[in-house]
Amino acid sequence: MNKQPVQVAIAILYQEDKFLMQLRDNIPTILYPGYWALFGGHIEAGETPEVAVRREVIEEIAYEAPNFTKFGNYEDEKVLRNVFYAPLTVELNQLELNEGWDMGLLTATDISQGSCYSANAGEIRPLGPVHQQIMLDFIEKFKL
């Protein structure tokens, strides 16, 4: 019997030529511990991906994006990622990190090299491979 992939909604939040990413908690039992990733999470029963991405971003960083646009779906054997994007219209210090180890505005160079320094971690940390690919596709599509 084939198990359905878990559905998640994740957000590309951009400000000029930088992209807000979350440094995931360094807990060995979670997917990509201590990796840079996009904000977002599981879609709850009865929720649309659009509702889920908005809820997750509010829960994780207390940010209400003006609008989200669908970017695409990324699916593997375990997870179906519904990817949305929206502008980040506030400064980083106006966000409240409620989930994760750190957050930062990463450049296209950070994303293409696959790592970025985290002040909270005190070291350079890698990007999650799937999240890096999503960001590279986004940067390529919009020629950022």
Side-chain angles (χ1 to χ4, degrees):
M1 189 165 102
N2 281 349
K3 191 177 173 201
Q4 290 288 344
V6 172
Q7 287 225 26
V8 299
I10 54 180
I12 297 169
L13 296 169
Y14 60 88
Q15 190 170 78
E16 294 170 20
D17 58 351
K18 293 184 179 171
F19 307 93
L20 184 67
M21 296 191 81
Q22 170 199 51
L23 185 61
R24 292 177 58 80
D25 287 312
N26 203 16
I27 301 168
T29 54
I30 66 171
L31 194 59
Y32 298 123
Y35 281 71
W36 289 102
L38 296 167
F39 285 97
H42 290 85
I43 298 172
E44 294 179 0
E47 226 176 18
T48 64
E50 294 80 6
V51 168
V53 75
R54 182 170 293 283
R55 175 186 51 75
E56 285 286 343
V57 168
I58 291 168
E59 285 175 5
E60 292 181 359
I61 55 173
Y63 176 62
E64 238 176 286
N67 59 347
F68 280 99
T69 303
K70 184 77 181 230
F71 179 61
N73 290 332
Y74 287 75
E75 186 171 7
D76 58 35
E77 61 283 346
K78 293 183 180 168
V79 182
L80 170 58
R81 294 169 182 87
N82 295 269
V83 184
F84 296 85
Y85 64 96
L88 180 63
T89 59
V90 299
E91 296 303 313
L92 203 56
N93 64 7
Q94 292 177 268
L95 300 174
E96 187 180 307
L97 184 63
N98 296 317
E99 187 174 308
W101 193 3
D102 200 358
M103 66 179 161
L105 288 167
L106 279 64
T107 65
T109 301
D110 295 329
I111 291 161
S112 65
Q113 68 191 18
S115 62
C116 184
Y117 179 78
S118 161
N120 286 1
E123 61 187 5
I124 293 171
R125 301 297 306 184
L127 268 74
V130 173
H131 292 254
Q132 181 186 22
Q133 188 58 59
I134 291 168
M135 292 307 305
L136 290 171
D137 292 351
F138 185 82
I139 290 165
E140 174 62 27
K141 180 174 181 172
F142 293 103
K143 305 290 185 221
L144 300 169

